[in-house]
Amino acid sequence: MRDILTAPFVVEIIRTVTNMYNHGWDERNGGNVSLLLEEAEVKEYLNTEKVLRSLSTGFSAPELEGKYFLVTGTGKYFKNVQYAPDANLGIVRLTDGGKTAELLWGFTDGGRFTSEFPAHIMSHAARLKIDPGNRVVMHCHPTNLLAMTYIHSLDEREFTRTLWQMCTECIVVFPDGVNVLPWMLCGTNEIGEATAEKMKTARLVVWAQHGIYGAGKDLDETFGLIETAEKAAEIYVKIAGLPWENTITDEQMHQLEKHFGVRAREGYLS
Ligand code: 13P
Ligand code: ZN
């Protein structure tokens, strides 16, 4: 059996959460990440017959029965993951229709998966129906996106259009736009269900006055998706309240659609 600390998925998630912390998106225990793993890749490093603990999830997800996830722990600080991956991360397999998560590795100090596990698993289920290649769900608290939810309308079309107008590449990176949830209590099945519903039409879901969820095919791509939206929000926050002399017009956005072969969300451009 190979050393799990050398597994590309462990190395990559450590790099990613460290980078997220360094961007200031994950103060204290803020943020959580989950990565869907193939059984075959897990078996290279772990005896999948050996269940360390069985944890109740508090929800069901029958479509993800038997699936393996590498996930960050609740209350864990992203800045510490690189120094103690086996305490801050865990690998679980969903059983019992998703009601139970069997711990196969990690959470060595008796911990458990993120309190936002409902939002992660339900979002995985929603995105997999649209894109079978989706493997990552990522949540964090990027400063400028959060700030924007205090001063900008939460109307999804308006929110998306403002972000698209802030940098030329936004419409290319997230043509499906950004969906927005009003403030809700976090760590609940309700916010998980609401997030998953929003994930049906976009890979980015803002939680007003809290943070953002992103979904994608790998850690790099999902990080990049949030990074691009956060960059746009940073520009918005810098110019908020100032008169705009210029913008990116809808006509220019149509040129970008054509040139990069993307389709903007229906009805979002005039
Ligand atoms: P966890 O520590 O449970 O992952 O929660 C962090 C967070 O960002 C809650 O939304
Ligand atoms: Zn959060």
Side-chain angles (χ1 to χ4, degrees):
M1 207 69 73
R2 295 160 71 185
D3 177 4
I4 186 128
L5 294 179
T6 66
F9 47 84
V10 171
V11 172
E12 186 78 6
I13 202 168
I14 292 171
R15 285 186 185 150
T16 302
V17 298
T18 303
N19 203 9
M20 291 170 78
Y21 175 74
N22 289 338
H23 274 64
W25 302 347
D26 298 280
E27 73 292 339
R28 199 175 184 274
N29 65 307
N32 20 80
V33 179
S34 60
L35 171 63
L36 175 62
L37 301 173
E38 294 293 338
E39 182 167 57
E41 58 184 345
V42 177
K43 278 183 189 284
E44 284 182 44
Y45 302 92
L46 295 176
N47 173 2
T48 54
E49 303 295 309
K50 198 171 163 212
V51 176
L52 304 175
R53 282 187 275 146
S54 284
L55 304 163
S56 165
T57 64
F59 58 83
S60 61
E63 60 273 66
L64 296 179
E65 174 76 24
K67 298 287 185 197
Y68 295 79
F69 291 92
L70 173 58
V71 60
T72 54
T74 185
K76 300 303 187 193
Y77 294 22
F78 277 13
K79 75 181 178 64
N80 295 339
V81 176
Q82 60 184 317
Y83 306 113
D86 60 353
N88 292 288
L89 302 170
I91 293 178
V92 296
R93 176 176 55 212
L94 294 181
T95 57
D96 191 20
K99 292 196 197 79
T100 302
E102 295 176 324
L103 181 66
L104 302 174
W105 173 80
F107 303 146
T108 51
D109 59 0
R112 53 187 275 130
F113 43 74
T114 172
S115 61
E116 305 294 4
F117 206 45
H120 280 257
I121 295 304
M122 293 175 195
S123 294
H124 276 286
R127 288 307 309 173
L128 283 166
K129 284 193 188 117
I130 295 149
D131 173 11
N134 195 91
R135 308 188 71 76
V136 176
V137 173
M138 185 179 284
H139 166 62
C140 54
H141 305 159
T143 312
N144 296 286
L145 278 163
L146 232 153
M148 196 170 154
T149 67
Y150 287 84
I151 58 173
H152 193 283
S153 153
L154 298 182
D155 176 85
E156 289 168 343
R157 182 175 180 276
E158 290 308 312
F159 203 94
T160 296
R161 284 179 52 81
T162 297
L163 291 176
W164 283 351
Q165 285 164 351
M166 294 302 107
C167 320
T168 294
E169 295 214 316
C170 279
I171 195 168
V172 181
V173 175
F174 49 96
D176 45 354
V178 174
N179 285 341
V180 184
L181 281 183
W183 187 93
M184 288 178 74
L185 189 61
C186 57
T188 63
N189 286 353
E190 288 70 28
I191 202 168
E193 283 154 15
T195 306
E197 187 59 35
K198 294 287 186 192
M199 281 280 180
K200 289 181 182 168
T201 48
R203 291 177 302 143
L204 285 168
V205 179
V206 165
W207 283 7
Q209 294 85 49
H210 183 136
I212 194 163
Y213 269 76
K217 68 177 167 57
D218 58 37
L219 289 161
D220 239 16
E221 194 217 33
T222 315
F223 180 95
L225 182 64
I226 293 176
E227 186 181 29
T228 307
E230 169 61 2
K231 174 67 172 280
E234 182 178 358
I235 293 162
Y236 176 74
V237 168
K238 279 187 198 294
I239 66 171
L242 298 175
W244 294 16
E245 296 278 338
N246 307 295
T247 189
I248 303 169
T249 65
D250 282 25
E251 163 51 30
Q252 289 164 337
M253 302 241 199
H254 285 304
Q255 286 181 38
L256 288 163
E257 278 186 295
K258 215 166 141 199
H259 187 73
F260 288 97
V262 296
R263 271 300 294 262
R265 178 95 160 254
E266 191 69 41
Y268 275 30
L269 293 179
S270 52

